[in-house]
């Protein structure tokens, strides 16, 4: 959240929390759907130091989040590909201690996805993007990425000063490592982590296992996609992304098949703010987009720097839900 960004997200977020969250009545939950902090590639001590540095650099946001937690607002941080180290037990504990020292349980970190039974699931979305996918994502909640290989795109970006040939070799090795990781998540050792996660998520163990295997990495399909993206990027072009990704539909239908269907599926990875239906199921899709200037898609935030997308889901006493994608403007427009 740099205020060098013309949208000034570092100043907008605390204002949003004060006006829309702290001023609202009733029990509330606020979920950040990944890439909230830039922690990628850091070891444990570095992650802890950087987390504290980020919050210290943004004192207004820090104080607004603390005020939310102190007022009884439940804060949820879903890990994305840029802040996967947040899932480390020590880093998650430090975040809780910083934002809610009196009641650390008011701050929760979700290494994979947030699940509210029959209401919503919220995940960053990178697990369905082959170049960012970490098949063994639950291991990050044990010891971060210490024993995990980099995903292909992270391997490409890890050493930008090296030659293209060297970086291409790193990508090839990362692809092989991802293929091996996909096989490991089908072994008993990882199944134990899935069973533990199923209890935390309040989901059937078989459903959690099926979701873990939903978007398998395959080199033969990932590399052509990567090549296409690189060509488009070199030409200064990006897809508009006017439809919900197919993976969101698969995710929602998998839950429905296990008797755990939800009304809403929320993600953010593509930076394209969007609300739409999903094929062959009643779940509504929301992508919360981004508050920085890396805006994609066709929403009003594309041309209006003062439009900040977010999702609202209200749950009535009888369990019915309402809500959708909204745009907050600091001038109230």
């Amino acid at each position: 959240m740099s205020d060098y960004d013309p949208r000034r997200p570092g100043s907008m977020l605390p204002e949003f929390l004060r006006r829309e969250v702290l001023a609202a009545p009733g029990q509330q939950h606020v979920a950040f759907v990944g890439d909230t902090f830039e922690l990628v590639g850091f070891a444990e001590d570095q992650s802890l130091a950087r987390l504290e540095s980020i919050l210290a650099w943004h004192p207004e946001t820090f104080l607004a989040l603390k005020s939310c937690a102190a007022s009884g607002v439940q804060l949820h941080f879903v890990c994305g590909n840029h802040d996967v180290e947040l899932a480390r037990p020590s880093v998650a504990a430090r975040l809780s201690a910083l934002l809610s020292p009196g009641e650390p349980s008011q701050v929760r970190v979700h290494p994979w996805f947030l699940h509210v039974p029959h209401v919503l699931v919220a995940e960053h979305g990178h697990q369905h993007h082959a170049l960012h996918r970490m098949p063994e994502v639950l291991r990050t909640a044990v010891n971060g990425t210490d024993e995990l290989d980099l995903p292909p795109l992270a391997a490409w970006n890890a050493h930008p000063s090296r030659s293209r040939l060297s970086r291409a070799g790193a990508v090839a090795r990362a692809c092989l490592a991802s293929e091996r990781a996909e096989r490991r998540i089908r072994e008993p050792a990882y199944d134990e982590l899935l069973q533990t996660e199923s209890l935390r998520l309040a989901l059937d163990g078989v459903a959690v296992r099926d979701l873990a295997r939903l978007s398998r990495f395959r080199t033969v399909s990932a590399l052509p996609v990567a090549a296409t993206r690189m060509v488009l990027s070199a030409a200064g072009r990006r897809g508009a992304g006017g439809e919900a990704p197919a993976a969101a539909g698969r995710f929602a239908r998998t839950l429905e098949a296990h008797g755990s269907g939800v009304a809403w599926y929320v993600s953010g990875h593509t930076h394209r703010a969007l609300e739409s239906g999903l094929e062959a199921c009643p779940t509504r899709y929301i992508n919360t987009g981004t508050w920085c200037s890396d805006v994609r898609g066709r929403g009003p935030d594309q041309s209006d720097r003062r439009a900040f997308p977010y999702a609202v889901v209200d749950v009535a006493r009888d369990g019915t839900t309402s809500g959708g994608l909204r745009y907050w403007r600091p001038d109230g427009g």
Side-chain angles (χ1 to χ4, degrees), residues 7 290-291 300-302 304-309 327-330:
R7 290 181 184 264
T290 180
W291 282 27
D301 54 326
Q302 179 69 254
D304 184 354
R305 287 182 176 176
R306 306 290 281 178
F308 297 91
Y327 290 89
W328 179 76
R329 291 175 171 82

Side-chain angles (χ1 to χ4, degrees), residues 34-43 47 77-89 91-92 109-112 124 126-127 132-146 148-151 154:
D35 289 359
T36 309
F37 305 96
E38 185 62 64
L39 299 177
V40 66
F42 289 95
S47 295
F77 293 87
V78 178
C79 293
N81 52 295
H82 281 269
D83 55 9
V84 65
E85 296 298 335
L86 197 61
R88 283 184 184 268
V91 181
V109 173
H110 306 269
W112 183 8
H124 183 58
H126 63 296
Q127 284 297 93
H132 289 291
R133 176 169 166 77
M134 300 179 66
E136 299 174 282
V137 65
L138 292 180
R139 296 201 189 282
T140 61
V142 179
N143 55 10
T145 57
D146 288 349
L148 297 182
D149 294 289
L150 291 175

